Amino acid sequence: MTEEISSVVEVDDQEYIINFGPQHPSTHGVLRFVVNLRGEVVKNLQPHIGYIHRGIEKMCEKLTYQQIIHLTDRMDYLSAHMNNEAVCLCVEKALDIEVPERVKYVRTILDELNRIASHQLWWCSFGMDMGGQTCYFYGLRDREKILDIFEETCGGRLLLSYNTPGGLMWDIHPNFQQRIKDFIKYFRKKLPEYDKILTGNVILQERTKGIGHLSLEDAISYGVTGPTARASGFSCDVRKNYPYSAYDKVDFKEILYTEGDTFHRYLARMEEMRESMKILEQLVDNIPAGDFTAKMKPVVKLPEGEYFQRVETSRGELGVYIISKGDKFPYRIKFRSPNFCNLATMNLMASGFKIADLIAISGSMDLVIPDIDR
Amino acid sequence: MDNQKLKEKVLSFVPNAEVEENKQYLIVTVTPELLHNLAKKLKEDPETDFSYLFCQTGVDYGDSLGVVYHLESVKFRHSIVLKTKTTNRDNPQMASVYDLWKAAEYHEREIFDLLGITFKNHPDLRRFFLDESWGYPLRKDYVDSTNIIEK
């Protein structure tokens, strides 16, 4: 290991190297940092990834487009629906299919539900990383309500696979709208509890304010996206800039801060949950009647060419790049995953801070490791 | 800037670039030697200002290996796609764009890992997901007799 790292940075006898992960609880999966320390201060940090590299891009080259949907769930499993949607939108764009309005509305609603569920899980695990055990129970209690809505309509709770090129697998459950309205009513009451228990907490504020600063220039240059970048003032919300599905019909605010520290990354996600509820309120009563899928051939063959689709997942911008040679399989498919690009800034943000701050910083990035490794 | 103006701009930088347009983006193909120069001009010219590299993909086209760059201007919200190809499959080499966009550091390491394209002037070009004993799995001629079985 020493040889591995000394090729990159010079190590003197004052510094020592520790392994952070791959089994450390705060890495939320199998991510390993090799950290150069001088005393308690991080001097350099190199992420080592690939522990769950499954070669999804290679596997996709032998799968049909309907089959690929089910693999994309396994990348960012907390944004499963957005990942599915990205591939579906890309295929629909290539085939020039206009999906029914109903599909667009339901997709957008599920996107936002998925975003809230993902941020809830981030909130509770971030709280736990910082030493607040109680957060975990609060977060998971409320997330359960969303997973129940998913279960009723999609069948799955975590990996939804509810999208299919051209529309949805089946129509929504009759309870769908009512349950969402109940959830919004419930969660509006519960969200202030989150602020009471964690946001206003002195220990949390001391540990996060001014820690792990990311400047706007670095955010753009490193291609950081999602709430992580918006806390630095980088307006990168694909929902605003390149609206897809029903996002052009709803009114919502892009959460932007300029401070770019851990605390504002935290705030950005908290505010996004409120914005997501606003979007849900605007859509849930207006789902138009109609088909739940466009007319599709059983075998989807994309015309020769290349297609790119960008969507906003809970963690940032997911890009799907398909090169087709006119076959029922893609010739090459690339997933530009948000976590992969966000990870690149870890060294920049953590250097100069204490090792305990490293946990706060990586927690505020909300990394999902299968999305990095693919 | 719309695609027509972008096209004129690109041709003023590199007169013999191949420019085509699909429904989404303007696609510019240049040789690996010219790529870094063009990328630098596109980034630094105040009228184009491509500050954000949102995707970098390595592709095996069969006879050649290539890299595709998706660029966007945060200021003007216009996009462009740059492409470059090399037919040298034994020792494919490109110039790194790490000095222009830091995002290229990880993208290029990934491309090196999975396709075996080396990037000159990259600060830290090592395998990323896989270790040294692997070949380059995203190449079309990659053979894995245990896990990939052709019917």
Side-chain angles (χ1 to χ4, degrees):
Chain A
M1 194 179 74
T2 318
E3 297 90 71
E4 219 172 60
I5 199 78
S6 59
S7 64
V8 189
V9 230
E10 283 192 15
V11 183
D12 62 28
D13 50 2
Q14 294 288 309
E15 280 182 19
Y16 55 98
I17 301 171
I18 63 155
N19 250 326
F20 185 87
Q23 301 298 338
H24 193 282
S26 80
T27 56
H28 304 278
V30 279
L31 172 67
R32 173 175 146 223
F33 294 124
V34 175
V35 190
N36 279 37
L37 288 175
R38 182 181 289 246
E40 256 190 277
V41 179
V42 177
K43 286 285 161 198
N44 187 286
L45 176 149
Q46 290 293 324
H48 284 245
I49 60 174
Y51 290 92
I52 39 170
H53 176 66
R54 294 147 292 178
I56 283 185
E57 286 171 13
K58 182 77 179 173
M59 282 155 85
C60 287
E61 289 173 10
K62 288 279 182 294
L63 295 176
T64 64
Y65 293 100
Q66 287 98 330
Q67 289 170 324
I68 288 172
I69 307 287
H70 301 274
L71 269 184
T72 55
D73 280 340
R74 274 86 181 160
M75 297 196 304
D76 182 352
Y77 50 83
L78 295 176
S79 316
H81 187 265
M82 287 92 132
N83 292 358
N84 296 163
E85 193 181 0
V87 178
C88 291
L89 287 170
C90 199
V91 171
E92 283 151 17
K93 185 186 273 176
L95 292 170
D96 250 333
I97 290 172
E98 185 63 33
V99 296
E101 283 294 295
R102 186 180 180 81
V103 176
K104 292 185 184 174
Y105 274 66
V106 174
R107 278 181 181 174
T108 314
I109 288 172
L110 284 168
D111 271 349
E112 293 309 313
L113 279 176
N114 213 176
R115 196 180 314 278
I116 296 176
S118 164
H119 285 351
Q120 280 170 338
L121 188 69
W122 158 80
W123 179 81
C124 53
S125 55
F126 182 66
M128 202 151 85
D129 288 348
M130 308 298 287
Q133 187 88 52
T134 325
C135 308
Y136 216 86
F137 306 114
Y138 278 64
L140 286 191
R141 174 196 65 191
D142 302 339
R143 181 166 173 261
E144 205 66 15
K145 308 262 184 238
I146 298 182
L147 297 190
D148 287 342
I149 300 176
F150 286 161
E151 189 179 3
E152 209 172 49
T153 285
C154 315
R157 286 165 70 82
L158 187 68
L159 309 175
L160 305 179
S161 296
Y162 182 51
N163 271 318
T164 173
L168 306 167
M169 287 276 192
W170 45 77
D171 209 352
I172 52 173
H173 193 273
N175 290 346
F176 186 65
Q177 282 149 298
Q178 189 53 45
R179 287 191 84 143
I180 290 172
K181 279 187 264 183
D182 290 346
F183 169 75
I184 296 172
K185 220 165 131 192
Y186 168 83
F187 195 51
R188 280 227 185 273
K189 261 190 249 147
K190 295 293 177 190
L191 199 51
E193 282 183 7
Y194 287 35
D195 289 332
K196 270 185 206 158
I197 198 168
L198 201 60
T199 315
N201 188 304
V202 183
I203 302 170
L204 177 99
Q205 296 209 358
E206 289 287 317
R207 281 193 65 184
T208 52
K209 276 187 179 167
I211 301 290
H213 183 260
L214 180 70
S215 70
L216 173 60
E217 290 72 37
D218 282 331
I220 296 173
S221 180
Y222 275 98
V224 179
T225 45
T228 313
R230 290 196 281 276
S232 297
F234 177 19
S235 160
C236 58
D237 199 329
V238 183
R239 295 175 292 170
K240 273 267 183 239
N241 298 331
Y242 305 97
Y244 52 94
S245 293
Y247 282 113
D248 48 351
K249 298 186 186 71
V250 289
D251 172 43
F252 67 102
K253 205 169 76 200
E254 186 179 2
I255 309 294
L256 285 173
Y257 294 103
T258 48
E259 286 84 349
D261 62 354
T262 306
F263 186 64
H264 285 87
R265 285 194 282 278
Y266 171 90
L267 284 186
R269 290 204 167 78
M270 296 300 280
E271 286 303 314
E272 260 191 19
M273 285 201 258
R274 294 196 169 86
E275 289 303 313
S276 292
M277 282 198 283
K278 248 191 240 169
I279 298 174
L280 285 176
E281 276 170 343
Q282 292 171 48
L283 293 176
V284 71
D285 280 326
N286 303 324
I287 302 177
D291 290 335
F292 59 86
T293 176
K295 270 217 158 65
M296 294 288 288
K297 287 181 189 148
V299 179
V300 176
K301 282 187 182 173
L302 297 201
E304 201 170 332
E306 50 186 72
Y307 312 95
F308 201 97
Q309 177 65 42
R310 308 163 73 173
V311 299
E312 183 76 17
T313 73
S314 333
R315 275 152 204 83
E317 177 185 328
L318 173 75
V320 177
Y321 179 44
I322 297 178
I323 300 178
S324 173
K325 294 246 158 141
D327 238 330
K328 59 180 177 177
F329 309 127
Y331 182 74
R332 169 89 167 90
I333 188 163
K334 155 93 180 172
F335 297 106
R336 180 255 188 237
S337 73
N339 288 291
F340 183 75
C341 297
N342 291 3
L343 179 73
T345 53
M346 271 309 288
N347 183 21
L348 186 83
M349 295 201 304
S351 291
F353 290 103
K354 300 247 160 54
I355 187 127
D357 297 331
L358 172 59
I359 291 163
I361 294 166
S362 79
S364 74
M365 303 265 287
D366 193 14
L367 298 171
V368 165
I369 316 307
D371 193 33
I372 298 173
D373 283 358
R374 280 160 290 147
Chain B
M1 220 183 243
D2 60 9
N3 280 352
Q4 192 53 41
K5 279 189 188 154
L6 270 178
K7 188 175 172 178
E8 284 162 20
K9 197 88 191 169
V10 168
L11 289 176
S12 76
F13 293 146
V14 182
N16 56 355
E18 244 179 80
V19 187
E20 53 176 321
E21 205 176 325
N22 70 5
K23 274 184 202 158
Q24 274 184 292
Y25 299 116
L26 188 75
I27 303 168
V28 181
T29 312
V30 290
T31 58
E33 297 79 43
L34 293 172
L35 182 101
H36 188 273
N37 194 11
L38 174 63
K40 196 173 165 143
K41 281 183 176 149
L42 284 174
K43 192 198 170 202
E44 286 170 1
D45 192 293
E47 280 178 45
T48 49
D49 190 47
F50 285 106
S51 49
Y52 173 31
L53 172 73
F54 65 89
C55 191
Q56 190 179 356
T57 317
V59 188
D60 183 354
Y61 292 103
D63 52 343
S64 59
L65 294 169
V67 182
V68 184
Y69 303 76
H70 285 79
L71 301 173
E72 190 194 338
S73 164
V74 173
K75 200 166 157 194
F76 303 114
R77 292 286 167 208
H78 53 221
S79 314
I80 197 168
V81 181
L82 303 185
K83 277 188 185 178
T84 177
K85 285 178 195 174
T86 169
T87 48
N88 183 352
R89 291 180 71 92
D90 299 322
N91 185 23
Q93 275 210 335
M94 308 265 171
S96 169
V97 292
Y98 171 73
D99 52 335
L100 305 172
W101 301 280
K102 301 268 177 61
E105 182 187 356
Y106 275 24
H107 285 309
E108 284 172 358
R109 264 183 82 181
E110 185 192 334
I111 295 167
F112 168 67
D113 194 13
L114 302 177
L115 280 146
I117 299 172
T118 50
F119 291 90
K120 274 178 281 182
N121 301 329
H122 188 282
D124 180 22
L125 201 64
R126 285 178 288 133
R127 297 299 290 245
F128 212 5
F129 302 114
L130 310 170
D131 65 30
E132 302 291 339
S133 61
W134 288 76
Y136 301 116
L138 274 185
R139 287 199 186 184
K140 294 285 173 190
D141 53 8
Y142 177 73
V143 185
D144 179 347
S145 51
T146 3
N147 296 313
I148 304 175
I149 299 156
E150 297 277 343
K151 277 178 210 156

